[in-house]
Amino acid sequence: MMFSWISSGFPLFIFLFFVVFFRAQLTYWLGRAAAHGFISAEKRTGFLGAIARWFNGPTPRKGAHILDKWGLVVIPLCFLTVGVQTAVNAGAGLVRLRWRTYTLAMIPGCIAWAILYSLGLLTLWTSTLQAIAGSPWGWAGITIVLLVFGGLIWHTRLRRNKESVCPITPSDSESAELSRSHQNEDI
């Protein structure tokens, strides 16, 4: 049963915003609680102790650092996906991302999610992707986009490797001049 005041428009958007806001916060805090529980077992031996030591190790710290650095991009974008959202929100809690950073990063995602769901755009978005992926022309277009994107990445990496492997060296004529100048200094 749906209340008539949230059936459409701005009230529906507000309702959905708070639904996703509290769901994301709950997922984050469950991840934090799990991390805290494992960390408190650090002095234990066996499997629980190993997990607790892992939570205090370099991997979660690196994850927290990456989320601190790039979380403002990853966290809101996860709200535009289906299935990744919970993993990202729980992961932010597991690596003990600062609450303030997490909350500020998730608010734009919550707004986008509420807009998509209140206007029915999520259905349109997924239907469009399914239609593109179901058509041979759609698959061809996706393949071309992926090939172009992969080619650009490959070209950029190749250029970076050339720059790092081949330092700037003087030409043969410059080398000859340098050796003559050093010989003249010796005289």
Side-chain angles (χ1 to χ4, degrees):
M1 179 175 129
M2 185 181 284
F3 299 108
S4 62
W5 57 270
I6 60 165
S7 63
S8 65
F10 191 67
L12 178 62
F13 167 78
I14 296 297
F15 174 76
L16 290 172
F17 173 81
F18 282 110
V19 165
V20 74
F21 181 87
F22 288 120
R23 178 183 174 265
Q25 284 289 317
L26 178 65
T27 307
Y28 167 81
W29 284 107
L30 285 173
R32 264 214 69 137
H36 178 72
F38 280 119
I39 290 170
S40 65
E42 188 171 22
K43 294 183 182 181
R44 292 178 112 178
T45 58
F47 183 68
L48 284 178
I51 291 174
R53 286 185 289 283
W54 180 85
F55 269 105
N56 273 332
T59 302
R61 286 193 185 126
K62 183 178 181 181
H65 176 71
I66 289 169
L67 279 172
D68 269 338
K69 186 175 182 180
W70 299 103
L72 297 177
V73 175
V74 173
I75 292 171
L77 289 179
C78 81
F79 287 89
L80 301 177
T81 64
V82 177
V84 177
Q85 186 180 150
T86 303
V88 170
N89 293 326
L94 281 171
V95 298
R96 299 179 310 273
L97 179 66
R98 289 177 296 175
W99 176 79
R100 183 177 178 186
T101 302
Y102 169 75
T103 302
L104 289 175
M106 70 165 243
I107 288 175
C110 290
I111 292 170
W113 187 91
I115 289 170
L116 285 173
Y117 272 85
S118 65
L119 297 178
L121 293 177
L122 184 66
T123 304
L124 179 65
W125 171 252
T126 55
S127 298
T128 302
L129 287 179
Q130 287 176 352
I132 290 172
S135 148
W137 290 107
W139 278 109
I142 290 170
T143 303
I144 289 170
V145 167
L146 291 174
L147 286 173
V148 168
F149 186 67
L152 289 172
I153 290 172
W154 178 75
H155 178 69
T156 303
R157 287 186 179 180
L158 186 66
R159 191 176 66 217
R160 281 187 197 155
N161 286 340
K162 276 186 177 180
E163 290 173 0
S164 65
V165 171
C166 300
I168 299 175
T169 57
S171 66
D172 291 336
S173 60
E174 290 174 341
S175 297
E177 281 183 39
L178 285 173
S179 63
R180 275 188 236 125
S181 67
H182 286 298
Q183 288 172 354
N184 290 340
E185 289 175 5
D186 293 337
I187 298 177

